[in-house]
Amino acid sequence: MSIVIETQNLSKVYNPDTIPVYAVNQVNLKIQRGEFTALVGPSGSGKTTLLNLIGGLDKPSSGKVIINGTDITQLRPNKLIDFRLHNIGFVFQSFNLIPVLTARENVEFIMLLQNVPAAERNKRVETLLQHVGLGDKMNARPAQLSGGQQQRVAVARALASKPQFILADEPTANLDSAAAANLLDIMAALNREENMTFIFSTHDQRVIDRALRVITLVDGKVESDIRR
Amino acid sequence: MIFTIAWRNVWRHRVRSLVIMTSVALGVWAGLTLNSLYIGMGNERLKIAIENEVSHIQLHHPDYAREFTQAPVMNNIQTALNQIETVEGVKAVCARTMAMGMLATATGSAGVQITGIQPPNESRVTQLQTKIKEGTFFTASKPNSLLIGAKLAKKFKIKPRSKVILTFQDASNELISAAFWVEGIYQTYNTALDEVMVYVNQPDLNKLLNLTDQAHEIAVLLQSDDFTASGKNKIATLFPDVKVQTWKEISPDTELIIATMTQASMVFVIIILLAISFGIINTMLMAILERTREIGVLMSLGMNKLKLFTMILTETLLLVLVGCPVGVFIAWLLITYLSENGLDMSVFAGESMGDFGFSNIIYPDLLPAQYVQIIMLVLITALISSVFPAVRALSLKPVEAIRA
Ligand SMILES: Nc1ncnc2c1ncn2[C@@H]1O[C@H](COP(=O)(O)OP(=O)(O)OP(=O)(O)O)[C@@H](O)[C@H]1O
Ligand SMILES: [Mg+2]
């Protein structure tokens, strides 16, 4: 098994000069390829901050984030954008999609940014949207989709870029329990069948129960790390 | 797809975008129309100046100056006129004798410039004959006929057949007085000139001045202004001892007026463009503020700065590119219509235009190159004003934008 994500003494301090807040405090983690990991902890424990650091959206105060052997904290801004495009899939809590693009275009867009040829794009868009159960909603705009459907499109989009792993910050927070369960089914199936690595933060016990590894953060520190 | 996103974003706020497009269209329309009006006014001013005052080319003795009471004359006028008529592009020529003098009537006197003209030749070169308001244009067989401007006539209560006394100096500095009979009263666009110019028959004036086949001035009307430069050269080689000048040299103020008007119209265009660009910047900044989260998502996913910049730039340009052709089209329709039918400025300005040597009816005109120039200016404005919002978008940080 190969390590996809490794953090070394990773810290993020807000307001270091006034009242320092250690949002992420000396975190050392190794995530293997194919893991299905939940990041849990009370509100303000640093889940979002940690995911942003791993996703290269935020700069750490100290420590390293190594993805597939590359220390992304050392990348120049333009390289980092490109690295995200080719290596990291994102699913945000809500309003993930570009409102003026259809489901199909939202998924296709990321492949366009990657310069994937048209024929391959079209094939992948259809496969992916069918995979997340939206084969009949391809030409719908986000506003015409339910919250759960939008999140599924976001998952399809994350997959379209063929990333090393997918980061999801509270992907089910705005969904009812049926839609949440459905999204988790799709994510779990992708994890099982395609060995896709997922890290998602959540407060929802039913979602936590589906995870194969649960990392608990308290005050920016890893309190427990359980594999099941 | 960047274009698709930009295009669809334009229509997210239909009303707001339509307002911007309409203002671009209005701005372009106003800029073009205004420019064409100024150009029309300039053309009209030039036409009036050429047809009534300066003609295209004038010939004088090298030492001639209009202010002289006794200006030096040119000789062999009849031969000269015949020779000039054969030059390419020449439509008509006439000769004039001038004298500075006094006009005295029963009610008062005034300084005047007396011009002796050759009526049939003069009529082919200038529009003087058509400006007769009362009386006739040297048709009476009586000697010492005189034409006087309406303003001066009114001042001295002069009517056709009134008698006036002209006093001036002859070649040997003798003071000469002679009685003239008013045959006609004329009125041109240039009321200032109307007050000082009186016209008499050249033979009458020559006789009084002891001149023979001589004159102070030869005026040449060409088929068009395009012949001015070449015509001047050809005439100058025919008469090396004479000073040959174009209307630009004789009346630099006419050229200056036209140049000033072009500049003034450009100032208006720039003010309009500034207003447009404020509208565009405002709208786009609003759009970016509303879409902060969306832009954050695009940045997070890995859309690079160049593509993001292009997207915002495209959206801004689209706003302009929809409005601009509409404005150009409406302006083109209006200008084309007015260039044939004319626009009566007395509706806006009363009769005051005439006081400045302008005609009351102007024919707006705009050359294709001038359309292109203004359209280019609009596009450049759009580009410049889209840079600002685009830079604003680039300055967003993905983490913060996503939280928004
Ligand atoms: N931009 C910021 N400036 C200052 N402090 C911040 C900033 N962002 C986060 N924090 C602080 O860092 C800590 C961790 O926040 P974070 O959002 O990562 O928590 P979280 O575990 O995601 O919480 P939640 O479950 O509510 O989403 C909190 O104490 C928060 O107040
Ligand atoms: Mg959070």
Side-chain angles (χ1 to χ4, degrees), chain A residues 52 57-58 78 81 84-85 90 92-102 105 108-110 112-113 115 141 157, chain B residues 1-2 4-6 8-9 12 293-305 307 311 397-399 402-403:
Chain A
N52 285 343
L57 297 177
D58 208 353
N78 278 333
I81 292 172
R84 284 205 299 268
L85 175 62
F90 290 92
F92 303 104
Q93 185 176 328
S94 56
F95 305 112
N96 260 295
L97 306 177
I98 305 307
V100 293
L101 297 182
T102 62
E105 287 165 339
E108 195 185 351
F109 182 61
I110 195 148
L112 256 160
L113 291 178
N115 296 321
R141 295 270 182 106
R157 179 183 63 190
Chain B
M1 181 123 13
I2 286 179
T4 311
I5 297 179
R8 291 185 192 162
N9 274 337
R12 261 162 101 167
R293 205 196 137 84
E294 217 171 297
I295 292 167
V297 169
L298 287 171
M299 288 173 129
S300 304
L301 292 180
M303 187 172 193
N304 65 33
K305 302 210 164 196
K307 285 181 175 144
M311 191 177 94
K397 293 208 161 57
V399 228
I402 279 184
R403 221 171 343 159

Side-chain angles (χ1 to χ4, degrees), chain A residues 4-66:
Chain A
V4 194
I5 307 167
E6 182 178 355
T7 69
Q8 294 177 357
N9 301 325
L10 190 64
S11 294
K12 177 77 185 182
V13 190
Y14 288 110
N15 315 322
D17 305 320
T18 53
I19 311 153
V21 177
Y22 288 85
V24 169
N25 197 350
Q26 296 289 325
V27 168
N28 290 288
L29 277 178
K30 287 192 172 91
I31 307 278
Q32 311 274 353
R33 183 168 306 287
E35 283 198 295
F36 198 62
T37 309
L39 200 57
V40 303
S43 188
S45 57
K47 303 181 294 291
T48 298
T49 309
L50 181 57
L51 287 177
N52 285 343
L53 291 172
I54 293 172
L57 297 177
D58 208 353
K59 285 260 170 234
S61 307
S62 64
K64 289 180 179 176
V65 177
I66 297 161

Side-chain angles (χ1 to χ4, degrees), chain A residues 85-228:
Chain A
L85 175 62
H86 288 97
N87 296 280
I88 308 175
F90 290 92
V91 177
F92 303 104
Q93 185 176 328
S94 56
F95 305 112
N96 260 295
L97 306 177
I98 305 307
V100 293
L101 297 182
T102 62
R104 166 189 210 105
E105 287 165 339
N106 261 288
V107 177
E108 195 185 351
F109 182 61
I110 195 148
M111 291 187 277
L112 256 160
L113 291 178
Q114 291 179 324
N115 296 321
V116 174
E120 194 187 331
R121 284 199 313 261
N122 287 331
K123 216 175 81 195
R124 270 179 76 71
V125 168
E126 290 183 14
T127 318
L128 286 167
L129 283 173
Q130 268 154 17
H131 212 113
V132 298
L134 292 172
D136 55 339
K137 297 280 186 195
M138 295 216 263
N139 295 316
R141 295 270 182 106
Q144 300 164 322
L145 297 172
S146 71
Q149 289 170 332
Q150 288 182 33
Q151 291 303 72
R152 273 146 53 191
V153 176
V155 170
R157 179 183 63 190
L159 279 170
S161 68
K162 295 192 175 169
Q164 300 290 332
F165 59 90
I166 293 176
L167 292 177
D169 191 9
E170 309 206 31
T172 60
N174 291 347
L175 304 183
D176 61 41
S177 52
N182 180 260
L183 187 68
L184 255 290
D185 286 343
I186 287 166
M187 285 164 59
L190 286 166
N191 173 251
R192 259 192 332 269
E193 290 157 19
E194 323 226 333
N195 203 32
M196 178 50 68
T197 313
F198 279 90
I199 315 176
F200 47 92
S201 70
T202 184
H203 286 286
D204 185 340
Q205 191 55 46
R206 284 166 300 184
V207 174
I208 300 170
D209 292 343
R210 303 284 298 266
L212 301 177
R213 180 179 175 185
V214 179
I215 298 170
T216 309
L217 283 183
V218 172
D219 291 337
K221 286 189 177 269
V222 177
E223 199 197 49
S224 69
D225 184 351
I226 302 161
R227 284 198 171 82
R228 321 190 258 224

Side-chain angles (χ1 to χ4, degrees), chain B residues 66-332:
Chain B
R66 195 166 271 250
E67 301 76 39
F68 287 0
T69 44
Q70 254 325 303
V73 291
M74 299 178 289
N75 298 312
N76 299 325
I77 294 302
Q78 198 46 56
T79 325
L81 293 184
N82 291 341
Q83 270 181 289
I84 293 169
E85 259 183 340
T86 64
V87 172
E88 191 200 356
V90 172
K91 206 168 159 191
V93 271
C94 66
R96 299 173 190 137
T97 301
M98 322 277 212
M100 295 294 285
M102 289 282 291
L103 176 139
T105 69
T107 50
S109 63
V112 288
Q113 179 169 350
I114 306 154
T115 304
I117 59 172
Q118 309 169 313
N121 287 345
E122 186 71 32
S123 296
R124 288 190 291 134
V125 174
T126 70
Q127 299 285 311
L128 185 61
Q129 186 170 10
T130 66
K131 303 292 192 268
I132 299 296
K133 251 182 68 184
E134 260 181 87
T136 52
F137 183 77
F138 298 114
T139 49
S141 49
K142 268 200 279 182
N144 286 9
S145 286
L146 175 137
L147 300 181
I148 190 167
K151 206 158 178 187
L152 201 56
K154 196 172 167 204
K155 194 166 153 193
F156 293 134
K157 301 196 178 67
I158 294 173
K159 297 223 155 46
R161 282 202 283 281
S162 298
K163 183 179 138 184
V164 299
I165 307 292
L166 290 179
T167 308
F168 46 91
Q169 288 176 315
D170 77 357
S172 47
N173 282 344
E174 287 291 328
L175 217 53
I176 300 170
S177 282
F180 281 80
W181 284 267
V182 174
E183 186 189 332
I185 295 171
Y186 71 90
Q187 183 172 28
T188 71
Y189 294 115
N190 195 331
T191 42
L193 274 184
D194 287 5
E195 220 176 330
V196 291
M197 301 291 284
V198 297
Y199 295 94
V200 299
N201 246 316
Q202 197 203 18
D204 293 344
L205 187 60
N206 275 15
K207 206 161 118 199
L208 289 165
L209 288 169
N210 282 323
L211 298 175
T212 53
D213 186 16
Q214 292 162 314
H216 291 106
E217 180 169 288
I218 293 177
V220 184
L221 183 71
L222 301 172
Q223 266 138 28
S224 86
D225 192 30
D226 301 339
F227 290 105
T228 303
S230 66
K232 179 194 163 167
N233 285 338
K234 284 176 191 153
I235 294 168
T237 38
L238 283 177
F239 308 101
D241 301 332
V242 164
K243 183 153 79 177
V244 183
Q245 290 171 295
T246 66
W247 64 268
K248 291 182 195 186
E249 294 162 299
I250 304 157
S251 176
D253 49 321
T254 300
E255 211 197 356
L256 188 71
I257 286 173
I258 290 164
T260 311
M261 290 207 306
T262 313
Q263 282 161 11
S265 69
M266 265 349 246
V267 169
F268 279 115
V269 169
I270 285 165
I271 291 171
I272 290 169
L273 289 179
L274 273 179
I276 292 179
S277 89
F278 276 114
I280 293 172
I281 290 175
N282 188 41
T283 304
M284 287 308 291
L285 282 180
M286 221 143 83
I288 282 161
L289 194 72
E290 287 164 359
R291 287 185 223 141
T292 301
R293 205 196 137 84
E294 217 171 297
I295 292 167
V297 169
L298 287 171
M299 288 173 129
S300 304
L301 292 180
M303 187 172 193
N304 65 33
K305 302 210 164 196
L306 183 67
K307 285 181 175 144
L308 190 61
F309 192 83
T310 314
M311 191 177 94
I312 310 278
L313 214 70
T314 310
E315 186 174 339
T316 319
L317 280 180
L318 283 174
L319 278 176
V320 175
L321 288 179
V322 172
C324 189
V326 176
V328 171
F329 182 67
I330 298 172
W332 177 78

